[in-house]
Amino acid sequence: MPATPAHDVFRKPARTPLIGPSILSADFGRMESDCRFLLDRGADYLHLDVMDGRFVPNLTMGPDMCRWMRHYFPRTALDVHLMVEEPEKFVDPFIQAGATNLTFHVEVHQADAARKLAARIHDAGALAGLAVNPPTSIDAVLQVADAFDVLLIMSVNPGFSGQAFIPDVLEKARRLKPLLRSDQRLEVDGGVSPATAPACRQAGMDTLVSASAIFGKPESERETVMRALRG
Ligand code: DX5
Ligand code: ZN
């Protein structure tokens, strides 16, 4: 199991909730400076949304983006969210590109295959995460949660930034949180803003992803938004 400062951000967080800006809403022409600005002002990690045009109706970024982020931010935890039909194809390319955590979706694999893929991700040197979409029951996650470092509850139907938070998913967090170990993170992704973060924190979410609530604001307001997310 890897044990670097980047991995420890998730496994042994110095403080929670962790705040992870999703770079999907960054200015892609200013990616390095947009991200550095946030990391210098309290962002705990960066969230990379990978979409294949099949699992979700959008295309975003691949391992090369991860490699450049690792180049510019050698010590930062890079949280790769694989919204793809065949995550096993991308395990090695993303880990070689410096991913800290690889999260795939519970919707794409049965329990046995999900456990095997988590083990493969660990063997290859990264943490493993499992994500669940809003319409999917949490029961499939409960069966295999012990094998994962990060459990990601989606609070929008994935594919795009800037969608409205779905409050029904908070019940999943209330069920999952008491079952998790202290080295496991409960992450929420989608519509997380200063308005919705308090309910997420109260439901037990300790790791908050946010794209448009941060990058949608002028640079001068982004630190304040991250503080509000943290509570
Ligand atoms: C949604 C992605 C999210 C997205 C969040 O498909 O997984 O990470 O970037 O965007 P906001 O915070 O704007 O809902
Ligand atoms: Zn995401």
Side-chain angles (χ1 to χ4, degrees), residues 7-85:
H7 295 95
D8 282 349
V9 168
F10 291 109
R11 301 193 71 223
K12 299 181 193 168
R15 58 178 176 179
T16 56
L18 299 172
I19 305 300
S22 158
I23 69 170
L24 189 54
S25 289
D27 178 336
F28 275 38
R30 294 171 35 96
M31 186 59 84
E32 190 259 341
S33 58
D34 262 13
C35 291
R36 191 174 300 283
F37 184 90
L38 298 177
L39 291 166
D40 287 346
R41 288 163 182 78
D44 297 291
Y45 70 100
L46 296 172
H47 181 86
L48 279 64
D49 284 309
V50 177
M51 304 186 189
D52 66 352
R54 294 170 63 203
F55 184 73
V56 289
N58 197 4
L59 286 171
T60 54
M61 58 191 80
D64 287 335
M65 176 67 88
C66 187
R67 186 172 298 107
W68 281 110
M69 301 306 270
R70 178 51 73 221
H71 171 78
Y72 284 114
F73 307 113
R75 305 169 73 82
T76 298
L78 299 178
D79 177 35
V80 174
H81 179 190
L82 294 172
M83 286 160 276
V84 304
E85 291 281 358

Side-chain angles (χ1 to χ4, degrees), residues 14 36 43 51 56 74 91 95 108 121 134 157 159 165 192 196 207:
R36 191 174 300 283
M51 304 186 189
V56 289
V91 167
I95 293 176
V108 303
I121 292 170
N157 289 303
F165 184 83
V192 178
T196 58
T207 302

Side-chain angles (χ1 to χ4, degrees), residues 132-134 152-158 163-170 187-192 196 200 205 209:
V132 58
N133 280 341
L152 169 54
I153 295 180
M154 290 304 300
S155 41
V156 297
N157 289 303
Q163 303 182 75
F165 184 83
I166 300 172
D168 291 357
V169 307
L170 293 171
E187 187 176 46
V188 59
D189 182 8
V192 178
T196 58
C200 294
M205 313 285 201
V209 175

